[in-house]
Amino acid sequence: MATTEECRAALDKLSDSMRGAEGDVRSAAALDRSVSCHITDLDVTFAGRMADGGIDVRETLVGPPREKAEIRLAMTGDDLVALVAGELNFAKAWGSGRVRLEAGLRDLFRLRKLL
């Protein structure tokens, strides 16, 4: 099972990858939205902002998100680490329910370029 520190490191790596992206991926990463990622098996939520082409995690909270972020993710820690490492396909994980993504329709269309 992935630890809280490994999950935080995975989010930092994802943010770095987003900031280094080009083309359509770069434009999709340019959203300015509140974001939360609930790690279900650890019952920890990382909350912050997607801005300036990356993710700025501002809080690590025990339990589910306290506020409804504009972009909400939920998954196990192992799935987060595997997604960021390229070992798990996001579309398949989302389709099977292993990963939950909630956002407005316009944001979902832009985010699909990232994922």
Side-chain angles (χ1 to χ4, degrees):
M1 178 193 311
T3 65
T4 301
E5 293 78 19
E6 290 169 324
C7 292
R8 175 59 194 257
L11 286 172
D12 289 343
K13 182 178 177 182
L14 175 61
S15 181
D16 290 345
S17 295
M18 289 168 57
R19 284 193 171 100
E22 297 180 8
D24 287 344
V25 174
R26 178 97 176 140
S27 67
L31 292 171
D32 184 6
R33 302 285 189 271
S34 61
V35 62
S36 68
C37 182
H38 183 229
I39 307 303
T40 56
D41 56 335
L42 298 174
D43 199 24
V44 170
T45 298
F46 298 98
R49 276 209 89 70
M50 178 185 279
D52 300 322
I55 300 169
D56 177 24
V57 176
R58 297 178 179 171
E59 296 182 280
T60 303
L61 310 165
V62 176
R66 294 190 180 121
E67 296 179 17
K68 187 176 179 180
E70 293 165 296
I71 299 171
R72 299 168 302 282
L73 288 160
M75 67 196 80
T76 67
D78 288 342
D79 285 344
L80 173 61
V81 170
L83 281 169
V84 173
E87 299 167 358
L88 179 63
N89 179 283
F90 180 84
K92 288 181 182 179
W94 187 33
S96 69
R98 286 175 66 178
V99 173
R100 288 191 324 263
L101 169 64
E102 298 176 24
L105 188 58
R106 180 177 285 166
D107 289 340
L108 285 173
F109 280 123
R110 288 188 71 183
L111 288 171
R112 69 188 170 128
K113 295 174 186 173
L114 282 174
L115 311 168

